[in-house]
């Protein structure tokens, strides 16, 4: 008889619990945000510059980490980065999508975004500031942060 190790069993339990549509939607939006910033040096540089300006003691930390596709417990680090960078992500998306925060935005990043980036930033901003997303994300983040010690 084959029995999975405890870490693999925990991953299987977490993955079966994440079958709820709200959880799946939250995970897909976090992935989308990570891809939006990490696959563009200009967008990632803007986010890093905002974090460095407003949170200098954490400037060397990477703002967003792509979610691990196989290990659910490993996602806690990615969720922690997203949680800590959330207000800066929203700030950057507001600048990109709606040209807000003109007074305190770095000049090289203000008003220089193409139409596709503005559209994507607006959709992402609307998705991650939705009440359902925020509540689901915080609950998921809190649960996974406790499980990281187990794995």
């Amino acid at each position: 008889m084959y029995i999975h190790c405890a870490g693999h069993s925990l991953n299987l339990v977490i993955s079966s619990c994440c079958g709820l549509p709200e959880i799946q939607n939250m995970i897909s939006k976090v992935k989308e945000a990570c891809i939006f910033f990490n696959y563009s040096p200009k967008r990632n540089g803007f986010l890093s510059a905002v974090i460095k300006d407003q949170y200098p003691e954490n400037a060397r930390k990477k703002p967003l980490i792509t979610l691990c596709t196989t290990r659910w417990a490993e996602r806690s680090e990615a969720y922690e980065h997203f949680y800590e960078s959330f207000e800066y992500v929203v700030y950057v998306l507001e600048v990109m999508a709606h040209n807000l925060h003109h007074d305190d935005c770095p000049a090289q990043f203000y008003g220089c975004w193409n139409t596709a980036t503005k559209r994507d930033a607006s959709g992402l901003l609307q998705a991650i500031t939705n009440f359902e997303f925020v509540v689901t994300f915080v609950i998921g983040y809190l649960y996974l942060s406790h499980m990281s010690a187990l794995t």
Side-chain angles (χ1 to χ4, degrees):
M1 174 181 261
Y2 178 76
I3 299 173
H4 294 292
C5 71
H8 185 70
S9 296
L10 179 61
N11 278 328
L12 291 174
V13 169
I14 294 170
S15 68
S16 68
C17 291
C18 291
L20 295 170
E22 294 85 4
I23 301 290
Q24 291 175 347
N25 184 40
M26 180 269 298
I27 292 169
S28 72
K29 294 305 172 190
V30 171
K31 281 182 187 177
E32 188 178 327
C34 291
I35 289 170
F36 181 77
F37 285 103
N38 290 337
Y39 287 7
S40 169
K42 184 178 178 183
R43 293 186 290 237
N44 197 20
F46 182 25
L47 181 60
S48 296
V50 167
I51 291 174
K52 183 178 180 182
D53 182 49
Q54 305 212 1
Y55 197 46
E57 61 271 5
N58 210 13
R60 297 200 61 158
K61 190 174 183 181
K62 190 172 181 179
L64 297 177
I65 298 175
T66 306
L67 298 176
C68 180
T69 57
T70 56
R71 301 175 85 200
W72 289 89
E74 288 294 317
R75 293 182 181 199
S76 64
E77 185 179 357
Y79 287 140
E80 180 181 349
H81 281 252
F82 190 82
Y83 181 79
E84 290 175 353
S85 302
F86 182 76
E87 67 180 291
Y88 307 115
V89 169
V90 170
Y91 173 89
V92 167
L93 290 173
E94 286 175 343
V95 170
M96 287 180 187
H98 306 297
N99 290 328
L100 298 177
H101 311 292
H102 182 30
D103 297 338
D104 51 335
C105 175
Q108 72 266 26
F109 296 112
Y110 190 78
C112 64
W113 306 103
N114 63 25
T115 306
T117 300
K118 287 181 180 185
R119 182 190 64 239
D120 294 345
S122 180
L124 190 56
L125 177 65
Q126 183 178 2
I128 68 170
T129 56
N130 181 356
F131 179 76
E132 183 178 310
F133 172 84
V134 173
V135 170
T136 306
F137 175 76
V138 170
I139 290 171
Y141 166 68
L142 291 175
Y143 276 105
L144 283 177
S145 66
H146 292 296
M147 289 187 198
S148 66
L150 298 174
T151 60

